[in-house]
Amino acid sequence: MGLKHIVFFALLFGGVPVAIGLLKNNNRYKKIAYFLMILFIPFVYSTGINFFTDEFYKGTVRGYEVLATDMIAFSLLGAMIASDGRKNVVFFPRGARFYILYFVLSCISIINADNRIYSGYVVMQMILHYIFFITVYNCIIRNKNFDIILYALGGFIIFTFFHMLVQRLFFGVYQPSGVFIHRNSTAMFSNMIAPIFLSVILNKDLDKRTYYLFAMAFACASCAVILSLSRGAIIFLPLSLGMVIILSLRNGMNPRKKKILLLLIVLAVVATMRAAPMVVDRFVNAPETSAEGRVAFAKAALNMAEDKFFGVGLNNWGLKINPPYRYWENTGIKRPDEDFKSGIVETIYLLVAAECGWITFASLLMWFLYYYWQNIKNIKAYKNAGGFYMAVGVLGALTAVYGQSCFEWILKQQTNSYELMIIFAIVATMTNVRINTARQMKGIAQ
């Protein structure tokens, strides 16, 4: 047993129970833990403990990994159960049934996996995601606002932008990624944040200090997308921000919105002039092999999905795309030598279909679209209420991430999947309030 294993079990069996005791009856400590749980999400390298890792495996998950975020989630959830009782903790928020269906079908695909240890990596990750999801949901209910989430994500994205700027200016990194594993990961994370903070500064009543902080968070998130030069993210950033602006204007105009929009126009022009050469170069001079590779991997994914009803096995793409398996043949995938290991199909949708079958792909879409549809309903319901800003921001965020996922599989990575779980917890909370309020109004009317 290595040192990291000792540290993990010491924290799990020693630290978590102590933390539960400290948090149990102290709301201030709970808020601090809630803030840190979200703030630590992207710091995979510095806070993660990876068991039985296989760094050379070209799959979406390469080990049994537990993050500081997970340990805090265990502690917070345990503290809420201890202080409020199990009956007052929600274990199945709205939409959870779709995730559970997706999880069960993914697990069934393991019958076709040639390496079930690799499948176990993702099974563990999905369980941790669910624990995180219900923890965030219950924290939102108890705090009755989204402030801690905004401060944590805002503080982090400001730090990330300046980190990327240092990488770009002082270390010559052409496509900086900050603390993230890959630049596309940074871009997707930022793309989910930017529309939310734009909606906040357009639609939420803020004091001057908070306004400038959140305005800076929006600017840094947008600039982080551009600095990453991720083509998928750059395409969907203006689309998501445009949706936020249109919906915000339809909900009424005021002097603050006019000033912000005028400033946005000026900044957009300046940013376009400054960044245009880099962005154009990234699109125009992208190697042809990149597009050819995407098509070839998509063909291989279709071969896998059509070969077996439940796919080739959860997290087994990295095995099945290489010999002795033949899914890569006649797709255009090039193999320079016998030991060459091919990469991953560049879309989460075909990846899920390939590994877990079309039925699991359908369950993924049901899960995604449930929250999208409920959020559209929330926009209408909260039109004249305090939560309007969040519903509009979330619409932009989900549009960006769903769209970008057509070209990238990185939503499978822990950082982005955890952020998506935060957004789903927000939608579930707002949906629950909307439905309960409607029921109460109906009861009063009767």
Side-chain angles (χ1 to χ4, degrees):
M1 182 179 290
L3 178 61
K4 66 181 180 180
H5 302 99
I6 295 172
V7 170
F8 169 74
F9 288 112
L11 289 173
L12 182 63
F13 296 113
V16 170
V18 170
I20 290 173
L22 290 172
L23 297 171
K24 180 181 173 183
N25 297 311
N26 193 313
N27 288 330
R28 183 168 177 269
Y29 286 173
K30 282 180 183 175
K31 289 181 179 180
I32 293 171
Y34 179 24
F35 176 84
L36 293 175
M37 178 179 70
I38 294 171
L39 183 67
F40 285 161
I41 288 172
F43 296 96
V44 176
Y45 285 132
S46 54
T47 70
I49 298 175
N50 207 329
F51 298 90
F52 310 111
T53 180
D54 186 350
E55 292 297 332
F56 297 103
Y57 176 60
K58 287 195 173 182
T60 56
V61 184
R62 302 177 184 181
Y64 293 103
E65 189 166 36
V66 181
L67 308 180
T69 288
D70 300 314
M71 304 300 283
I72 297 172
F74 297 157
S75 303
L76 263 176
L77 188 60
M80 287 186 283
I81 293 170
S83 62
D84 303 336
R86 290 183 62 183
K87 291 183 179 179
N88 295 312
V89 175
V90 179
F91 292 98
F92 300 99
R94 294 187 182 276
R97 63 186 183 274
F98 294 108
Y99 182 76
I100 293 170
L101 175 63
Y102 171 54
F103 173 73
V104 169
L105 292 174
S106 296
C107 289
I108 292 174
S109 76
I110 297 174
I111 60 175
N112 296 327
D114 279 10
N115 191 317
R116 295 181 180 179
I117 292 177
Y118 290 164
S119 299
Y121 297 164
V122 179
V123 171
M124 178 176 170
Q125 185 187 74
M126 293 179 78
I127 292 171
L128 293 175
H129 285 168
Y130 190 77
I131 293 171
F132 175 78
F133 169 64
I134 60 176
T135 303
V136 174
Y137 178 87
N138 283 280
C139 284
I140 294 172
I141 290 174
R142 281 156 180 76
N143 285 277
K144 298 180 180 178
N145 58 56
F146 308 112
D147 292 352
I148 290 176
I149 293 174
L150 292 173
Y151 281 115
L153 292 178
F156 171 75
I157 202 62
I158 291 170
F159 163 78
T160 295
F161 168 69
F162 284 103
H163 187 188
M164 293 173 71
L165 207 57
V166 168
Q167 289 176 325
R168 171 80 182 180
L169 297 178
F170 295 98
F171 295 95
V173 179
Y174 183 63
Q175 292 178 268
S177 60
V179 300
F180 289 84
I181 296 171
H182 192 274
R183 57 188 176 271
N184 289 343
S185 307
T186 313
M188 179 174 283
F189 196 93
S190 304
N191 235 359
M192 281 190 268
I193 290 177
I196 291 176
F197 279 106
L198 176 59
S199 186
V200 169
I201 61 176
L202 283 172
N203 299 296
K204 184 174 169 59
D205 291 330
L206 302 167
D207 59 70
K208 186 175 288 188
R209 186 176 180 180
T210 306
Y211 170 79
Y212 286 124
L213 175 65
F214 289 166
M216 188 175 183
F218 160 67
C220 288
S222 302
C223 292
V225 172
I226 297 170
L227 270 180
S228 71
L229 292 177
S230 170
R231 287 173 292 177
I234 289 172
I235 289 171
F236 286 97
L237 176 66
L239 176 62
S240 64
L241 298 184
M243 292 175 72
V244 170
I245 292 170
I246 291 170
L247 289 170
S248 298
L249 294 180
R250 287 187 64 183
N251 200 41
M253 178 62 82
N254 57 46
R256 184 178 64 169
K257 286 183 181 179
K258 289 180 181 179
K259 290 177 182 177
I260 292 172
L261 290 176
L262 286 173
L263 182 60
L264 280 176
I265 292 171
V266 173
L267 292 177
V269 171
V270 174
T272 300
M273 292 175 63
R274 179 68 182 85
M278 290 190 301
V279 175
V280 170
D281 178 71
R282 180 76 179 106
F283 278 87
V284 173
N285 297 319
E288 292 184 10
T289 53
S290 176
E292 292 170 357
R294 286 177 182 271
V295 174
F297 283 126
K299 290 179 180 178
L302 291 173
N303 290 342
M304 294 181 191
E306 292 170 4
D307 184 44
K308 297 181 185 293
F309 184 77
F310 284 108
V312 297
L314 184 64
N315 201 30
N316 269 231
W317 169 279
L319 288 176
K320 301 294 179 74
I321 193 60
N322 298 302
Y325 308 98
R326 305 181 66 177
Y327 298 110
W328 65 278
E329 293 181 352
N330 301 317
T331 61
I333 292 176
K334 298 175 182 178
R335 301 186 54 80
D337 55 69
E338 292 182 1
D339 296 325
F340 179 77
K341 301 297 181 185
S342 295
I344 304 174
V345 62
E346 295 287 347
T347 164
I348 190 175
Y349 304 114
L350 283 180
L351 178 60
V352 169
E355 291 189 336
C356 306
W358 290 115
I359 188 171
T360 311
F361 163 76
S363 71
L364 176 73
L365 289 186
M366 289 170 62
W367 179 42
F368 280 6
L369 293 177
Y370 171 81
Y371 288 108
Y372 199 86
W373 176 242
Q374 292 300 330
N375 190 67
I376 290 173
K377 289 185 174 182
N378 289 340
I379 291 174
K380 296 177 181 178
Y382 286 87
K383 185 176 180 180
N384 298 312
F388 177 77
Y389 76 92
M390 183 56 76
V392 169
V394 164
L395 183 69
L398 290 181
T399 300
V401 73
Y402 290 174
Q404 193 178 342
S405 292
C406 293
F407 305 101
E408 295 163 3
W409 62 267
I410 51 172
L411 193 54
K412 282 266 189 177
Q413 290 178 348
Q414 293 221 35
T415 49
N416 291 294
S417 52
Y418 273 124
E419 189 182 16
L420 185 66
M421 284 300 194
I422 293 173
I423 291 175
F424 284 170
I426 290 171
V427 177
T429 308
M430 296 182 71
T431 301
N432 197 53
V433 172
R434 167 173 58 81
I435 292 173
N436 289 340
T437 302
R439 286 174 179 171
Q440 290 172 5
M441 296 298 291
K442 187 176 181 182
I444 293 171
Q446 291 176 346

